[in-house]
Amino acid sequence: MFDITTLRVIWWALLGILLIGFAIMDGFDFGVAALLRVLGRTEDERRVLLETIEPTWEGNQVWFVLGGGASFAAWPTLYATAFSGLYLALALVLLAFILRPVGFNFRGKIHDARWRAVWDGTLIFSGFVVMLISGVAFGNLFLGLPFRYDDDLYMTWQGGFFDLLHPYAILAGLVSITMLLTHGACWAAYRSDHAIAERAARVARWMALAYAVTFVLAGIWLGYGIPGFTVAGPVVMDGPANPLFKQVTIGGSWFTSYMLYPWFWAAPAIGILGAIGVQWTVGKHTLAGFLCSSLMLAGTILAAGFALFPFLLPSSLDPRSSLTVWDASSSHGTLALMLGAVVVLLPIVILYTGWVYRVMRGRVTLEDVRHSHNTY
């Protein structure tokens, strides 16, 4: 049986794995949707793009559900604080999730160009909203969020939605957009008709370059322009889940953890190498380009998580109220029970997902959609 300290680290790692799974498996759906009118110049081409994602997009959302469920069960204080304070931002994300199936289902109900253009715009909007808000949220973690706890652990939040639009957070949003547009374009290059695939490969290369530039700029800004949070004094890793039992100072570097654990530098290196790999491999009519963009996503999320460690949700109002891996978790029994469920269920999800993609493998061509009997 693992002790509470080990379980907390395991669940921190699992939360990162679920975020990476969501970004990779659902990220290309949003990327393809956002590029629908860029890559698809005719109705048949747009049908090809949609048919590369329609059979699997709903299943991909299991990673979003798992991430939310893991946050609720393993990190209840984090879940409650984030969902309370970021209510409007999360509501916009959920609206985008709701609009997406509506767009898929309704765009083909009427054979009219204007009708389809409206629903295409809905799909594009939903893609960009999720990409932008996800990046802005990550950017704000490094700035600190405006919440505090009193001695009774009653949480108060100051500020609104537009206060989240700090220039650094917007830059982080651009990192997210360029990263997921690259991922979506790599998927389209791998799965769509050759005429669309060549167009998608060009877009992927440009977006990968834009990602590399914004990612490096965000890292430089974080290292030299954003003060880091540091737990002052000895760190109690097996203490009670009470954030007020510690002291936190602001003024260090967010890369302190990278100095303590030099292997953390592998994460941003993987992100950049993934972007370079996209330049070399996308458009070669193989899976390699998509795998490279997946590495790019994984490296980026790991780089952010490593920089934040051990913080989960820093507080700009009262640094002592910041939530860390050591003081925001559920009990030992809950973490152990949930870990057992993950050990059983997560491999099933992965195996089933792999089987589905094997069954649905192959390129969707213009010839396929022209002879199909679906009602677009």
Side-chain angles (χ1 to χ4, degrees):
M1 179 65 69
F2 297 116
D3 59 28
I4 184 66
T5 301
T6 304
L7 284 172
R8 283 168 171 169
V9 174
I10 289 173
W11 272 101
W12 171 77
L14 282 173
L15 182 61
I17 290 170
L18 293 175
L19 285 173
I20 291 171
F22 168 61
I24 292 175
M25 300 306 299
D26 224 12
F28 71 81
D29 290 344
F30 288 107
V32 170
L35 292 169
L36 186 59
R37 288 263 166 172
V38 174
L39 301 179
R41 295 178 179 175
T42 67
E43 174 58 21
D44 284 344
E45 289 184 346
R46 288 188 281 273
R47 287 171 59 187
V48 167
L49 290 167
L50 291 174
E51 289 195 15
T52 66
I53 61 175
E54 279 190 316
T56 55
W57 71 266
E58 270 187 304
N60 290 340
Q61 290 192 5
V62 69
W63 294 96
F64 180 74
V65 176
L66 287 173
S71 299
F72 177 78
W75 311 101
T77 311
L78 169 67
Y79 182 92
T81 304
F83 274 68
S84 298
L86 300 173
Y87 184 83
L88 181 55
L90 290 169
L92 285 174
V93 170
L94 291 176
L95 175 63
F97 272 93
I98 293 169
L99 288 176
R100 189 162 59 151
V102 176
F104 284 138
N105 291 327
F106 276 75
R107 78 176 300 277
K109 296 298 183 182
I110 299 177
H111 296 279
D112 178 78
R114 289 172 297 180
W115 171 267
R116 286 170 172 161
V118 168
W119 293 111
D120 286 351
T122 301
L123 292 172
I124 293 168
F125 169 80
S126 67
F128 272 106
V129 163
V130 174
M131 291 187 287
L132 177 62
I133 291 182
S134 298
V136 168
F138 260 100
N140 273 281
L141 292 181
F142 294 106
L143 298 168
L145 292 166
F147 71 93
R148 64 158 55 93
Y149 288 98
D150 63 18
D151 291 337
D152 296 320
L153 293 184
Y154 178 83
M155 191 273 290
T156 56
W157 186 285
Q158 297 179 10
F161 174 77
F162 292 103
D163 295 322
L164 301 175
L165 302 181
H166 183 279
Y168 180 78
I170 293 174
L171 177 60
L174 291 177
V175 173
S176 176
I177 289 173
T178 54
M179 178 175 68
L180 293 175
L181 288 180
T182 303
H183 197 46
C186 286
W187 177 258
Y190 170 57
R191 288 292 314 278
S192 63
D193 187 89
H194 290 290
I196 306 171
E198 292 177 4
R199 198 177 305 141
R202 290 194 296 271
V203 171
R205 292 189 188 98
W206 280 109
M207 287 297 102
L209 177 61
Y211 155 80
V213 172
T214 54
F215 182 58
V216 170
L217 287 176
I220 293 172
W221 193 344
L222 182 64
Y224 294 98
I226 307 293
F229 285 57
T230 305
V231 178
V235 178
V236 181
M237 300 180 183
D238 57 354
N242 188 328
L244 301 183
F245 286 179
K246 66 178 182 305
Q247 294 296 324
V248 175
T249 60
I250 301 179
S253 170
W254 276 117
F255 289 107
T256 300
S257 58
Y258 281 73
M259 304 302 130
L260 296 174
Y261 309 101
W263 63 270
F264 278 9
W265 288 104
I270 288 172
I272 294 298
L273 289 174
I276 295 172
V278 168
Q279 300 288 341
W280 287 349
T281 60
V282 72
K284 304 294 186 183
H285 310 304
T286 67
L287 185 60
F290 181 74
L291 293 178
C292 286
S293 66
S294 298
L295 285 175
M296 184 178 69
L297 267 68
T300 304
I301 294 172
L302 286 173
F306 289 163
L308 282 167
F309 186 82
F311 290 92
L312 296 171
L313 201 68
S315 168
S316 60
L317 290 184
D318 177 21
R320 186 176 65 135
S321 296
S322 299
L323 305 180
T324 72
V325 173
W326 317 123
D327 57 28
S329 74
S330 292
S331 66
H332 180 276
T334 300
L335 294 179
L337 178 64
M338 290 295 297
L339 181 60
V342 168
V343 168
V344 173
L345 296 178
L346 188 58
I348 295 174
V349 171
I350 294 172
L351 289 172
Y352 177 74
T353 301
W355 176 79
V356 168
Y357 277 89
R358 177 174 174 77
V359 171
M360 302 302 298
R361 69 188 184 278
R363 195 175 291 274
V364 181
T365 67
L366 289 167
E367 190 70 16
D368 292 332
V369 300
R370 286 167 183 161
H371 288 85
S372 65
H373 299 286
N374 53 38
T375 57
Y376 272 92

